Each structure stands twice: as structure tokens, then as C-alpha cells.
Amino acid sequence: MSESLRTEERPLVAILMGSQSDWPILQGASEVLQHFSVPHEKSIVSAHRTPEKLRQYALTAADRGIKILIAGAGGAAHLPGMLAAYTPLPVLGVPVETRALRGMDSLLSIVQMPYGIPVGCLAIGEAGARNAALLAVSILSLENPTLAQLLRDFRSTQTQRVLDQRI
């Protein structure tokens, strides 16, 4: 994956990660957004190694048409919080599992934001990344009836799959 790879000309959602090693987890978010045909972009933006790039990215995101940021981070997991400090856009944090503490360090870092700088925090790992994308779709569907219907259909299909299961 290149450092900034767009799936469409005018992305509505940005998927951000601190390093390439986070992509296997965050790829699930991209797959969900693709399923719903939500234009999005993916980029590597490190809170620690590229702080100026992070600042510029967050400050210009809204002007570029981005509506929601999905930020995956492991360890100290400062990426979601630092993005939220620079933009009023919704930031959805995805804790990435680490070897040392299995992602609990990431989870605790993301949920411990001070009042006034909110970050929505999802589950650790791939389920969190996929749910972040579904939450982004849900937020976008507030102003897009077609997307709202696609989301209702998706959830109905999930429900039916469970109802159809037999033991």
C-alpha cells in the first residue's frame, strides 16, 4: 500500500494508521467502506514520527471533503487523540493489538481522552476496525437516504443469517 492511496476522487472517510504494520487490521474497515461504496482514502500518519504531517492532515481534512476519520493505533496509541485535537470532525479510534499487552494499552490510551477532545473508541483489532467503518456508514447515512437503506439491508441480512442457523 502506498502512503496515500485513494479509492475515489473525493473521499468522505479517511483511514489512518501509524505505520504499515497496522494495515492488516485496518484493511477490514476499507473492505466495509467498499461494500457500501463509500469513497475513502488510506494514509500512514504517525503521531510520533510525523507530527507535522498529522497536524496538516487533520487541519485540512474537512476542507478536502473528509467527514469522518478512522484512526488505528497500537501501544501508546496517540494517533486518534492527536487527530481529534486538531479537527472537529468525528474521530473513531481503533486499538491495534500489541504483543506486550494484547491491545489493552492501546484501548486504555484511546478511551482516556480529556473532556473537550472526544474520540469514539471501538473494540481492539479487526472487529473494531470493521465496526468503525459501519459506524462511519451510520453517521453518513444521516444525510444520505440511499446509504441508510443499504445499512438497513445489511443489518437485516445479518439478522436473517442468525435466524436461519440450525443446530
Side-chain angles (χ1 to χ4, degrees), residues 99-114:
R99 280 185 291 223
L101 298 172
R102 302 186 58 159
M104 286 302 295
D105 49 345
S106 312
L107 175 74
L108 293 173
S109 179
I110 294 170
V111 299
Q112 294 299 317
M113 290 302 299

Side-chain angles (χ1 to χ4, degrees), residues 69-71 80-81 84 89-95 110-111 113 117-123 128 132 135:
L69 303 173
I70 296 173
L89 295 174
V91 177
L92 307 177
V94 178
I110 294 170
V111 299
M113 290 302 299
I117 310 294
V119 172
C121 186
L122 286 293
L135 187 54

Side-chain angles (χ1 to χ4, degrees), residues 7-164:
T7 58
E8 296 286 335
E9 279 304 304
R10 294 276 303 170
L12 298 175
V13 177
I15 300 173
L16 305 167
M17 62 211 81
S19 70
Q20 181 100 27
S21 64
D22 297 333
W23 177 240
I25 297 300
L26 293 166
Q27 186 172 5
S30 181
E31 291 168 1
V32 169
L33 293 172
Q34 287 171 8
H35 174 82
F36 287 95
S37 299
V38 173
H40 61 286
E41 66 184 21
K42 304 165 282 255
S43 191
I44 297 169
V45 181
S46 172
H48 303 113
R49 293 180 293 269
T50 61
E52 183 56 29
K53 179 180 178 181
L54 179 150
R55 188 176 80 79
Q56 286 301 315
Y57 193 98
L59 290 172
T60 63
D63 291 338
R64 292 183 294 107
I66 299 293
K67 304 286 184 200
I68 301 162
L69 303 173
I70 296 173
H78 290 136
L79 180 60
M82 289 302 297
L83 287 165
Y86 286 114
T87 184
L89 295 174
V91 177
L92 307 177
V94 178
V96 173
E97 187 171 344
T98 57
R99 280 185 291 223
L101 298 172
R102 302 186 58 159
M104 286 302 295
D105 49 345
S106 312
L107 175 74
L108 293 173
S109 179
I110 294 170
V111 299
Q112 294 299 317
M113 290 302 299
Y115 173 74
I117 310 294
V119 172
C121 186
L122 286 293
I124 298 168
E126 186 177 352
R130 289 181 176 277
N131 278 336
L134 284 173
L135 187 54
V137 168
S138 180
I139 293 167
L140 292 171
S141 75
L142 294 171
E143 296 181 354
N144 184 322
T146 302
L147 196 54
Q149 185 59 52
L150 288 171
L151 185 58
R152 283 192 296 274
D153 293 346
F154 173 82
R155 294 186 69 162
S156 178
T157 299
Q158 279 192 309
T159 298
Q160 194 58 51
R161 281 188 190 138
V162 172
L163 293 173
D164 290 343

